[in-house]
Amino acid sequence: MTLDPRVFRTVLGQFCTGITVVTTTVDGGPVGFACQSFAALSLDPPLVLFCPAKGSRSWAAIEKTGFFAVNVLGEEQQRACARFGSREADKFAGIDWRPSDLGSPVLAGALAHVDCTVEKVHDGGDHVVVIGRVHSLGEITGERPLLFYRGQYTGIEPDKTVPAPWRDDLEAFLTSTSADTWL
């Protein structure tokens, strides 16, 4: 079966994603790229994953150093996202950052960050699937996230969100005989 790439992109665009900037430092300089394909993978051991394009220069730098930080972007960071999604030579021009525990750039204003080392890399077609072992976590700011939906930036309205039923009592949810009705 042959899929039309435009239709494929449109269909997958119906899935709202958060936006991150994945960073490292190579030869003392900061490197990073905007990344929507980021997810938590495992609690024990603590693992995350992201999927960069095989030809990404930023991925080549991360692969070389073996460490990276994932910066979760806030709603007010649309310009930073556009910069890190571009092919500009100096994506960090005008961007405030500090080094993480492992030395990767943590962007000022990020909602949170995850500091990792590369654990494994798997083939994923025109991308690779990078599994990272989490070494430390940054503070959470509590601001609203920057989201991407149908080819556009968007946000959420806190008063319109509905908490998951298990958010406040995960143990009760996991042991509940009526948990099936919550799903």
Side-chain angles (χ1 to χ4, degrees):
M1 177 193 324
T2 302
L3 297 176
D4 180 331
R6 291 174 298 159
V7 173
F8 185 62
R9 181 177 290 223
T10 300
V11 168
L12 295 181
Q14 304 310 297
F15 182 67
C16 184
T17 63
I19 304 174
T20 65
V21 171
V22 181
T23 61
T24 194
T25 51
V26 66
D27 300 328
V31 176
F33 71 102
C35 180
Q36 291 172 251
S37 58
F38 166 75
L41 179 61
S42 169
L43 293 175
D44 187 18
L47 301 172
V48 296
L49 67 82
F50 72 96
C51 303
K54 285 182 177 176
S56 165
R57 293 179 309 215
S58 296
W59 161 238
I62 292 166
E63 188 174 33
K64 178 180 176 181
T65 65
F67 61 91
F68 62 94
V70 178
N71 295 267
V72 179
L73 296 187
E75 188 175 51
E76 302 300 320
Q77 293 181 294
Q78 292 181 17
R79 286 189 180 159
C81 180
R83 177 182 283 294
F84 284 99
S86 74
R87 294 195 179 269
E88 289 185 41
D90 184 5
K91 295 179 184 180
F92 282 84
I95 302 290
D96 291 332
W97 64 276
R98 64 173 175 77
S100 69
D101 291 345
L102 295 175
S104 297
V106 174
L107 306 182
L111 300 184
H113 79 272
V114 183
D115 210 12
C116 306
T117 54
V118 174
E119 182 84 2
K120 292 183 182 178
V121 179
H122 300 281
D123 183 62
D126 56 1
H127 285 62
V128 292
V129 179
V130 180
I131 297 174
R133 181 173 293 268
V134 177
H135 288 269
S136 65
L137 302 167
E139 292 184 29
I140 299 170
T141 67
E143 300 297 319
R144 296 189 312 204
L146 180 61
L147 304 175
F148 197 70
Y149 178 62
R150 294 183 177 173
Q152 300 180 62
Y153 295 127
T154 188
I156 60 169
E157 295 296 325
D159 58 336
K160 293 184 180 180
T161 61
V162 178
W166 57 84
R167 180 177 177 192
D168 294 326
D169 195 353
L170 180 59
E171 186 174 332
F173 170 75
L174 294 174
T175 59
S176 172
T177 56
S178 62
D180 291 335
T181 62
W182 293 12
L183 300 177

